[in-house]
Protein backbone atom coordinates (compact mmCIF):
# COMPACT_ATOMS: atom_id res chain seq x y z
CA UNK A 1 0.00 0.00 0.00
CA UNK A 2 2.95 2.24 0.29
CA UNK A 3 5.09 3.47 -2.51
CA UNK A 4 7.95 3.81 -0.09
CA UNK A 5 10.69 1.28 0.12
CA UNK A 6 10.37 -1.53 2.57
CA UNK A 7 12.24 -1.48 5.79
CA UNK A 8 14.74 1.14 6.76
CA UNK A 9 15.22 2.94 10.02
CA UNK A 10 13.39 6.07 10.88
CA UNK A 11 14.08 9.21 12.71
CA UNK A 12 12.89 9.31 16.24
CA UNK A 13 11.12 12.61 15.80
CA UNK A 14 7.57 13.52 16.61
CA UNK A 15 4.72 12.10 14.62
CA UNK A 16 4.74 15.04 12.29
CA UNK A 17 8.44 14.62 11.58
CA UNK A 18 8.92 10.94 10.92
CA UNK A 19 11.54 10.97 8.17
CA UNK A 20 11.25 7.36 7.06
CA UNK A 21 9.34 4.19 7.70
CA UNK A 22 9.64 2.50 11.06
CA UNK A 23 10.02 -1.18 10.21
CA UNK A 24 8.94 -2.35 13.64
CA UNK A 25 5.65 -0.48 13.27
CA UNK A 26 4.94 -2.13 9.92
CA UNK A 27 5.87 -5.50 11.40
CA UNK A 28 3.47 -4.93 14.30
CA UNK A 29 0.68 -4.08 11.87
CA UNK A 30 1.49 -7.18 9.84
CA UNK A 31 1.32 -9.35 12.96
CA UNK A 32 -1.98 -7.79 14.05
CA UNK A 33 -3.70 -8.37 10.70
CA UNK A 34 -2.34 -11.94 10.53
CA UNK A 35 -3.88 -12.64 13.93
CA UNK A 36 -7.22 -11.33 12.65
CA UNK A 37 -7.08 -13.61 9.60
CA UNK A 38 -6.12 -16.62 11.75
CA UNK A 39 -8.94 -15.95 14.22
CA UNK A 40 -11.52 -15.71 11.43
CA UNK A 41 -10.35 -18.97 9.87
CA UNK A 42 -10.46 -20.83 13.18
CA UNK A 43 -13.92 -19.38 13.85
CA UNK A 44 -15.14 -20.68 10.48
CA UNK A 45 -13.68 -24.09 11.30
CA UNK A 46 -15.49 -24.15 14.65
CA UNK A 47 -18.79 -23.25 12.98
CA UNK A 48 -18.66 -26.57 11.15
CA UNK A 49 -18.91 -28.70 14.25
CA UNK A 50 -15.23 -29.36 14.72
CA UNK A 51 -12.47 -27.67 16.64
CA UNK A 52 -8.83 -26.90 16.09
CA UNK A 53 -8.20 -27.44 19.78
CA UNK A 54 -4.48 -26.69 19.67
CA UNK A 55 -5.06 -23.34 17.94
CA UNK A 56 -8.03 -22.07 19.90
CA UNK A 57 -6.33 -21.46 23.31
CA UNK A 58 -3.62 -19.08 22.04
CA UNK A 59 -6.15 -17.27 19.82
CA UNK A 60 -8.49 -16.89 22.80
CA UNK A 61 -5.63 -15.46 24.84
CA UNK A 62 -4.93 -12.74 22.27
CA UNK A 63 -8.59 -12.20 21.34
CA UNK A 64 -8.99 -9.27 23.73
CA UNK A 65 -5.94 -7.55 22.26
CA UNK A 66 -5.84 -8.16 18.49
CA UNK A 67 -8.59 -5.76 17.31
CA UNK A 68 -7.65 -3.01 19.83
CA UNK A 69 -4.07 -3.36 18.56
CA UNK A 70 -5.16 -2.72 14.96
CA UNK A 71 -7.14 0.34 16.03
CA UNK A 72 -4.28 1.54 18.21
CA UNK A 73 -1.74 1.36 15.38
CA UNK A 74 -4.21 3.09 13.06
CA UNK A 75 -4.53 5.93 15.56
CA UNK A 76 -0.77 6.23 15.93
CA UNK A 77 -0.46 6.81 12.20
CA UNK A 78 -3.45 9.16 11.98
CA UNK A 79 -2.15 11.56 14.64
CA UNK A 80 -0.35 13.96 12.22
CA UNK A 81 -3.72 14.85 10.70
CA UNK A 82 -4.83 16.48 13.94
CA UNK A 83 -2.73 19.48 13.01
CA UNK A 84 -4.02 19.69 9.45
CA UNK A 85 -7.05 21.24 7.83
CA UNK A 86 -10.43 19.58 7.73
CA UNK A 87 -10.18 19.56 3.95
CA UNK A 88 -7.08 17.38 4.03
CA UNK A 89 -8.59 15.04 6.63
CA UNK A 90 -11.76 14.63 4.59
CA UNK A 91 -9.87 14.23 1.31
CA UNK A 92 -7.24 11.76 2.42
CA UNK A 93 -9.06 9.82 5.12
CA UNK A 94 -12.83 10.30 5.30
CA UNK A 95 -13.24 10.01 1.53
CA UNK A 96 -10.96 6.97 1.41
CA UNK A 97 -12.75 4.95 4.08
CA UNK A 98 -16.18 6.03 2.81
CA UNK A 99 -15.29 4.78 -0.64
CA UNK A 100 -13.94 1.51 0.70
CA UNK A 101 -17.12 0.95 2.69
CA UNK A 102 -19.33 1.48 -0.36
CA UNK A 103 -17.20 -0.68 -2.65
CA UNK A 104 -16.68 -3.57 -0.27
CA UNK A 105 -20.29 -3.55 0.93
CA UNK A 106 -21.17 -4.17 -2.71
CA UNK A 107 -18.60 -6.99 -2.81
CA UNK A 108 -20.05 -8.40 0.40
CA UNK A 109 -23.55 -8.37 -1.04
CA UNK A 110 -22.43 -10.06 -4.26
CA UNK A 111 -20.65 -12.77 -2.27
CA UNK A 112 -23.78 -13.33 -0.15
CA UNK A 113 -25.86 -13.69 -3.31
CA UNK A 114 -23.35 -16.15 -4.75
CA UNK A 115 -23.38 -18.24 -1.58
CA UNK A 116 -27.18 -18.32 -1.56
CA UNK A 117 -27.26 -19.05 -5.30
CA UNK A 118 -29.83 -16.29 -5.69
CA UNK A 119 -30.51 -14.10 -8.69
CA UNK A 120 -28.05 -11.25 -9.27
CA UNK A 121 -29.07 -8.17 -7.26
CA UNK A 122 -30.33 -5.07 -9.02
CA UNK A 123 -28.64 -1.69 -8.67
CA UNK A 124 -31.52 -0.63 -6.41
CA UNK A 125 -30.93 -3.66 -4.19
CA UNK A 126 -27.21 -2.91 -3.96
CA UNK A 127 -27.94 0.74 -3.17
CA UNK A 128 -30.39 -0.20 -0.44
CA UNK A 129 -27.90 -2.67 1.04
CA UNK A 130 -25.12 -0.06 1.11
CA UNK A 131 -27.46 2.54 2.59
CA UNK A 132 -28.56 0.17 5.34
CA UNK A 133 -25.10 -0.96 6.45
CA UNK A 134 -22.87 2.01 5.58
CA UNK A 135 -22.62 3.52 9.06
CA UNK A 136 -22.58 0.39 11.20
CA UNK A 137 -21.90 -2.69 9.07
CA UNK A 138 -21.59 -6.14 10.50
CA UNK A 139 -18.94 -8.74 9.63
CA UNK A 140 -15.41 -7.52 9.02
CA UNK A 141 -16.30 -4.13 7.51
CA UNK A 142 -17.24 -2.80 10.94
CA UNK A 143 -13.53 -2.13 11.43
CA UNK A 144 -13.38 0.20 8.41
CA UNK A 145 -16.47 2.02 9.64
CA UNK A 146 -14.94 2.26 13.12
CA UNK A 147 -11.75 3.82 11.76
CA UNK A 148 -13.81 6.31 9.73
CA UNK A 149 -15.82 7.37 12.79
CA UNK A 150 -12.73 7.62 14.99
CA UNK A 151 -10.93 9.78 12.40
CA UNK A 152 -13.79 12.28 12.52
CA UNK A 153 -14.01 12.22 16.33
CA UNK A 154 -10.24 12.62 16.76
CA UNK A 155 -10.15 15.62 14.41
CA UNK A 156 -13.21 17.21 16.05
CA UNK A 157 -11.54 17.03 19.48
CA UNK A 158 -8.03 17.88 18.28
CA UNK A 159 -8.03 21.23 20.10
CA UNK A 160 -9.52 19.90 23.34
CA UNK A 161 -7.33 16.95 24.22
CA UNK A 162 -8.70 16.67 27.73
CA UNK A 163 -12.16 15.95 26.29
CA UNK A 164 -10.55 13.31 24.10
CA UNK A 165 -8.94 11.72 27.16
CA UNK A 166 -12.23 11.70 29.09
CA UNK A 167 -14.05 10.21 26.10
CA UNK A 168 -11.48 7.43 25.83
CA UNK A 169 -11.79 6.61 29.53
CA UNK A 170 -15.58 6.50 29.37
CA UNK A 171 -15.71 4.37 26.24
CA UNK A 172 -13.07 1.75 26.98
CA UNK A 173 -14.23 1.36 30.59
CA UNK A 174 -17.65 0.18 29.45
CA UNK A 175 -19.41 2.94 31.41
CA UNK A 176 -21.29 4.24 28.37
CA UNK A 177 -24.89 2.99 28.14
CA UNK A 178 -25.84 0.71 25.28
CA UNK A 179 -26.17 2.63 22.02
CA UNK A 180 -28.23 1.65 18.95
CA UNK A 181 -25.24 1.08 16.67
CA UNK A 182 -26.32 -2.13 15.04
CA UNK A 183 -25.49 -5.78 15.81
CA UNK A 184 -21.88 -5.00 16.71
CA UNK A 185 -22.55 -2.15 19.15
CA UNK A 186 -20.18 -3.56 21.76
CA UNK A 187 -17.28 -3.55 19.33
CA UNK A 188 -17.86 0.04 18.21
CA UNK A 189 -18.05 1.26 21.82
CA UNK A 190 -15.35 -0.90 23.43
CA UNK A 191 -12.82 -1.62 20.65
CA UNK A 192 -12.86 1.27 18.18
CA UNK A 193 -11.88 3.89 20.83
CA UNK A 194 -8.41 2.30 21.01
CA UNK A 195 -7.85 4.31 17.83
CA UNK A 196 -8.06 7.41 20.05
CA UNK A 197 -5.61 5.82 22.49
CA UNK A 198 -3.19 5.49 19.57
CA UNK A 199 -3.73 9.12 18.64
CA UNK A 200 -2.94 10.27 22.19
CA UNK A 201 0.10 7.99 22.50
CA UNK A 202 1.44 8.58 18.99
CA UNK A 203 4.37 10.80 19.89
CA UNK A 204 5.51 8.46 22.67
CA UNK A 205 5.19 5.38 20.48
CA UNK A 206 6.96 6.79 17.42
CA UNK A 207 9.78 8.34 19.42
CA UNK A 208 10.52 5.42 21.72
CA UNK A 209 9.16 2.38 19.88
CA UNK A 210 12.28 1.70 17.85
CA UNK A 211 14.56 2.53 20.77
CA UNK A 212 13.44 -0.13 23.20
CA UNK A 213 15.92 -2.95 23.64
CA UNK A 214 15.12 -6.52 22.68
CA UNK A 215 15.14 -7.51 26.34
CA UNK A 216 12.49 -4.92 27.14
CA UNK A 217 10.52 -6.03 24.06
CA UNK A 218 10.48 -9.61 25.37
CA UNK A 219 9.27 -8.40 28.78
CA UNK A 220 6.48 -6.38 27.16
CA UNK A 221 5.27 -9.45 25.28
CA UNK A 222 5.49 -11.71 28.33
CA UNK A 223 3.69 -9.16 30.50
CA UNK A 224 0.53 -9.64 28.46
CA UNK A 225 0.45 -13.45 28.73
CA UNK A 226 -0.90 -13.86 32.31
CA UNK A 227 -3.52 -11.15 31.73
CA UNK A 228 -4.60 -12.71 28.45
CA UNK A 229 -4.78 -16.21 29.95
CA UNK A 230 -6.90 -15.05 32.92
CA UNK A 231 -9.23 -13.13 30.63
CA UNK A 232 -9.61 -16.10 28.26
CA UNK A 233 -10.57 -18.26 31.26
CA UNK A 234 -13.20 -15.74 32.33
CA UNK A 235 -11.31 -14.73 35.46
CA UNK A 236 -12.02 -11.02 35.93
CA UNK A 237 -11.78 -10.72 39.71
CA UNK A 238 -13.76 -7.79 41.10
CA UNK A 239 -13.78 -5.95 37.78
CA UNK A 240 -16.82 -5.90 35.48
CA UNK A 241 -16.32 -7.83 32.26
CA UNK A 242 -16.02 -4.71 30.07
CA UNK A 243 -13.48 -3.11 32.40
CA UNK A 244 -11.46 -6.34 32.57
CA UNK A 245 -11.38 -6.55 28.77
CA UNK A 246 -10.25 -2.94 28.54
CA UNK A 247 -7.49 -3.53 31.09
CA UNK A 248 -6.20 -6.60 29.26
CA UNK A 249 -6.31 -4.75 25.94
CA UNK A 250 -4.37 -1.82 27.41
CA UNK A 251 -1.73 -4.21 28.72
CA UNK A 252 -1.66 -5.80 25.27
CA UNK A 253 -0.81 -2.57 23.45
CA UNK A 254 2.79 -2.41 24.73
CA UNK A 255 3.06 -6.11 23.89
CA UNK A 256 2.22 -5.47 20.23
CA UNK A 257 4.89 -2.75 20.23
CA UNK A 258 7.36 -5.22 21.74
CA UNK A 259 6.35 -7.94 19.28
CA UNK A 260 6.87 -5.55 16.38
CA UNK A 261 10.30 -4.65 17.71
CA UNK A 262 11.25 -8.35 18.05
CA UNK A 263 9.95 -9.18 14.58
CA UNK A 264 11.86 -6.28 13.03
CA UNK A 265 15.09 -7.66 14.51
CA UNK A 266 14.44 -11.17 13.20
CA UNK A 267 14.46 -12.76 9.73
CA UNK A 268 10.66 -12.53 9.80
CA UNK A 269 10.81 -8.76 10.06
CA UNK A 270 10.81 -7.98 6.35
CA UNK A 271 7.89 -10.25 5.38
CA UNK A 272 5.89 -9.08 8.40
CA UNK A 273 6.57 -5.44 7.50
CA UNK A 274 5.67 -6.17 3.86
CA UNK A 275 2.28 -7.47 4.99
CA UNK A 276 1.89 -4.58 7.42
CA UNK A 277 2.26 -2.06 4.61
CA UNK A 278 -0.61 -3.83 2.87
CA UNK A 279 -2.95 -4.07 5.83
CA UNK A 280 -5.98 -2.78 3.92
CA UNK A 281 -5.86 -5.31 1.05
CA UNK A 282 -5.28 -8.20 3.46
CA UNK A 283 -8.07 -7.10 5.76
CA UNK A 284 -10.60 -6.37 3.03
CA UNK A 285 -9.95 -9.36 0.77
CA UNK A 286 -9.51 -12.19 3.26
CA UNK A 287 -13.05 -12.27 4.66
CA UNK A 288 -15.16 -12.61 1.48
CA UNK A 289 -12.50 -14.94 0.11
CA UNK A 290 -12.73 -17.09 3.26
CA UNK A 291 -16.51 -17.31 2.88
CA UNK A 292 -16.11 -18.58 -0.68
CA UNK A 293 -13.28 -20.96 0.26
CA UNK A 294 -15.24 -22.57 3.09
CA UNK A 295 -18.33 -22.94 0.91
CA UNK A 296 -16.19 -24.70 -1.70
CA UNK A 297 -14.84 -27.05 0.98
CA UNK A 298 -18.36 -27.67 2.30
CA UNK A 299 -19.39 -28.74 -1.21
CA UNK A 300 -16.55 -31.23 -1.35
CA UNK A 301 -14.14 -29.26 -3.52
CA UNK A 302 -11.04 -30.41 -1.69
CA UNK A 303 -10.93 -31.96 1.76
CA UNK A 304 -13.40 -32.15 4.61
CA UNK A 305 -13.06 -29.32 7.13
CA UNK A 306 -14.53 -31.53 9.86
CA UNK A 307 -11.96 -34.27 9.21
CA UNK A 308 -9.00 -31.94 8.71
CA UNK A 309 -9.40 -28.79 10.80
CA UNK A 310 -5.66 -28.21 11.16
CA UNK A 311 -4.98 -28.68 7.45
CA UNK A 312 -7.75 -26.17 6.78
CA UNK A 313 -6.28 -23.61 9.16
CA UNK A 314 -2.65 -24.00 8.12
CA UNK A 315 -3.50 -23.88 4.42
CA UNK A 316 -6.14 -21.16 4.41
CA UNK A 317 -4.45 -18.59 6.67
CA UNK A 318 -1.33 -18.15 4.48
CA UNK A 319 -3.41 -18.84 1.38
CA UNK A 320 -5.85 -16.01 2.09
CA UNK A 321 -3.02 -13.61 2.86
CA UNK A 322 -1.12 -14.53 -0.32
CA UNK A 323 -4.21 -14.11 -2.50
CA UNK A 324 -4.90 -10.73 -0.89
CA UNK A 325 -1.32 -9.64 -1.59
CA UNK A 326 -1.68 -10.88 -5.16
CA UNK A 327 -4.88 -8.88 -5.63
CA UNK A 328 -3.08 -5.82 -4.26
CA UNK A 329 -0.19 -6.36 -6.65
CA UNK A 330 -2.46 -6.88 -9.66
CA UNK A 331 -4.47 -3.78 -8.79
CA UNK A 332 -1.26 -1.78 -8.94
CA UNK A 333 0.02 -3.51 -12.06
CA UNK A 334 -3.24 -2.91 -13.92
CA UNK A 335 -3.60 0.57 -12.43
CA UNK A 336 -6.92 -0.42 -10.87
CA UNK A 337 -6.01 1.13 -7.55
CA UNK A 338 -9.62 2.02 -6.82
CA UNK A 339 -9.95 -1.37 -5.13
CA UNK A 340 -8.00 -0.08 -2.13
CA UNK A 341 -7.72 3.66 -2.73
CA UNK A 342 -9.94 6.60 -3.55
CA UNK A 343 -10.52 6.75 -7.34
CA UNK A 344 -8.70 9.61 -9.03
CA UNK A 345 -11.98 10.79 -10.61
CA UNK A 346 -13.55 11.09 -7.15
CA UNK A 347 -10.54 13.01 -5.87
CA UNK A 348 -10.69 15.34 -8.86
CA UNK A 349 -14.38 15.98 -8.22
CA UNK A 350 -13.65 16.65 -4.56
CA UNK A 351 -10.93 19.14 -5.50
CA UNK A 352 -13.36 21.00 -7.72
CA UNK A 353 -16.06 21.17 -5.07
CA UNK A 354 -13.79 21.95 -2.09
CA UNK A 355 -10.86 24.01 -3.24
CA UNK A 356 -8.02 24.75 -0.80
CA UNK A 357 -7.69 28.34 0.29
CA UNK A 358 -3.95 28.16 -0.20
CA UNK A 359 -1.38 25.44 -0.90
CA UNK A 360 -1.34 23.23 2.17
CA UNK A 361 1.48 20.85 2.97
CA UNK A 362 0.30 17.36 3.76
CA UNK A 363 1.34 15.79 7.06
CA UNK A 364 4.93 14.67 6.99
CA UNK A 365 4.03 11.68 9.13
CA UNK A 366 2.46 8.47 7.90
CA UNK A 367 -1.22 7.87 7.34
CA UNK A 368 -3.20 4.84 8.50
CA UNK A 369 -2.46 2.99 5.31
CA UNK A 370 1.23 3.61 5.92
CA UNK A 371 1.89 6.05 3.11
CA UNK A 372 2.74 9.71 2.94
CA UNK A 373 0.17 12.13 1.62
CA UNK A 374 1.30 14.16 -1.36
CA UNK A 375 2.25 17.76 -0.84
CA UNK A 376 -0.36 20.41 -1.37
CA UNK A 377 -3.25 18.15 -0.47
CA UNK A 378 -2.73 15.96 -3.53
CA UNK A 379 -3.74 12.35 -3.71
CA UNK A 380 -2.07 10.13 -1.21
CA UNK A 381 -0.64 6.83 -2.40
CA UNK A 382 -3.19 4.75 -0.60
CA UNK A 383 -3.46 1.76 -2.86
Amino acid sequence: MSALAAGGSSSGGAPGGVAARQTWLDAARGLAVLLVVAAHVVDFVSMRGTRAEMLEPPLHVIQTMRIPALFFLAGVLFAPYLERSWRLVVRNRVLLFSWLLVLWLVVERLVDVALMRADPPSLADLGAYVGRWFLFPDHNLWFISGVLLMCVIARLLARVRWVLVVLVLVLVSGCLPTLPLGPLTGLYVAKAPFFLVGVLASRLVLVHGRRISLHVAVLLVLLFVPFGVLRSLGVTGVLPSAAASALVALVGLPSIVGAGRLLAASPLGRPAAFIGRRTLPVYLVHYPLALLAFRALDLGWGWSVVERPYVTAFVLVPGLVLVALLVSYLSRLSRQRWLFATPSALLALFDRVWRPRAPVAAPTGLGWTGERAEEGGGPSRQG
Side-chain angles (χ1 to χ4, degrees):
M1 286 165 34
S2 171
L4 300 175
S9 60
S10 67
S11 68
V18 181
R21 298 212 58 88
Q22 295 204 23
T23 305
W24 73 265
L25 190 57
D26 288 330
R29 295 169 68 209
L31 173 62
V33 78
L34 284 174
L35 292 176
V36 170
V37 175
H40 283 160
V41 169
V42 172
D43 285 344
F44 283 135
V45 170
S46 300
M47 291 176 188
R48 280 148 179 84
T50 187
R51 297 180 62 186
E53 295 181 354
M54 293 179 62
L55 300 178
E56 288 184 0
L59 288 176
H60 285 164
V61 169
I62 63 174
Q63 182 177 6
T64 309
M65 178 267 290
R66 57 186 173 86
I67 291 297
L70 265 183
F71 275 113
F72 174 77
L73 296 172
V76 168
L77 296 173
F78 177 79
Y81 281 93
L82 298 187
E83 307 301 326
R84 300 303 173 177
S85 69
W86 264 107
R87 181 186 181 277
L88 196 64
V89 173
V90 173
R91 189 186 192 279
N92 287 2
R93 286 293 163 266
V94 175
L95 201 60
L96 167 65
F97 294 118
S98 298
W99 165 254
L100 292 178
L101 275 173
V102 171
L103 175 63
W104 287 90
L105 278 169
V106 171
V107 172
E108 180 182 272
R109 179 59 178 161
L110 294 176
V111 169
D112 286 344
V113 168
L115 294 176
M116 294 183 295
R117 298 184 179 181
D119 294 332
S122 65
L123 290 178
D125 177 59
L126 290 176
Y129 186 84
V130 171
R132 178 184 178 187
W133 294 108
F134 179 80
L135 279 181
F136 304 109
D138 56 1
H139 302 311
N140 69 314
L141 291 179
W142 82 271
F143 175 77
I144 304 299
S145 176
V147 171
L148 170 60
L149 292 172
M150 291 301 113
C151 285
V152 174
I153 291 174
R155 183 59 184 83
L156 279 172
L157 300 179
R159 299 292 184 267
V160 280
R161 297 294 179 93
W162 68 271
V163 176
L164 194 58
V165 172
V166 172
L167 180 63
V168 168
L169 293 175
V170 171
L171 290 175
V172 301
S173 66
C175 296
L176 196 67
T178 301
L179 300 175
L181 304 182
L184 301 180
T185 295
L187 297 179
Y188 283 106
V189 173
K191 306 297 184 184
F194 282 92
F195 180 97
L196 304 178
V197 177
V199 168
L200 294 171
S202 177
R203 184 178 300 274
L204 176 67
V205 171
L206 291 178
V207 170
H208 298 289
R210 72 184 183 91
R211 296 178 180 175
I212 62 175
S213 68
L214 296 183
H215 293 90
V216 173
V218 171
L219 290 176
L220 291 177
V221 174
L222 293 178
L223 177 64
F224 169 75
V225 174
F227 288 89
V229 170
L230 290 175
R231 179 60 186 148
S232 68
L233 296 175
V235 179
T236 60
V238 297
L239 294 175
S241 179
S245 295
L247 176 62
V248 174
L250 287 171
V251 174
L253 299 183
S255 74
I256 200 69
V257 173
R261 179 69 181 86
L262 291 173
L263 276 174
S266 75
L268 297 176
R270 293 188 68 180
F274 181 85
I275 294 171
R277 289 191 295 275
R278 290 152 183 84
T279 302
L280 269 181
V282 172
Y283 188 87
L284 290 169
V285 172
H286 88 276
Y287 196 86
L289 191 62
L291 291 174
L292 294 173
F294 274 96
R295 175 54 61 90
L297 292 175
D298 291 342
L299 295 175
W301 299 358
W303 59 85
S304 168
V305 176
V306 175
E307 295 176 359
R308 301 179 180 179
Y310 294 104
V311 172
T312 302
F314 284 109
V315 170
L316 284 188
V317 171
L320 294 174
V321 172
L322 288 174
V323 172
L325 295 176
L326 178 62
V327 172
S328 175
Y329 172 74
L330 292 177
S331 72
R332 282 178 167 275
L333 188 65
S334 61
R335 297 187 178 181
Q336 304 301 314
R337 301 190 177 190
W338 50 269
L339 284 172
F340 308 110
T342 313
S344 57
L346 189 56
L347 288 173
L349 177 62
F350 177 87
D351 290 338
R352 285 190 175 189
V353 174
W354 191 348
R355 297 178 181 273
R357 296 181 179 178
V360 179
T364 54
L366 302 174
W368 182 79
T369 52
E371 81 291 345
R372 294 181 186 280
E374 298 289 346
E375 294 296 320
S380 58
R381 291 171 280 192
Q382 297 145 330

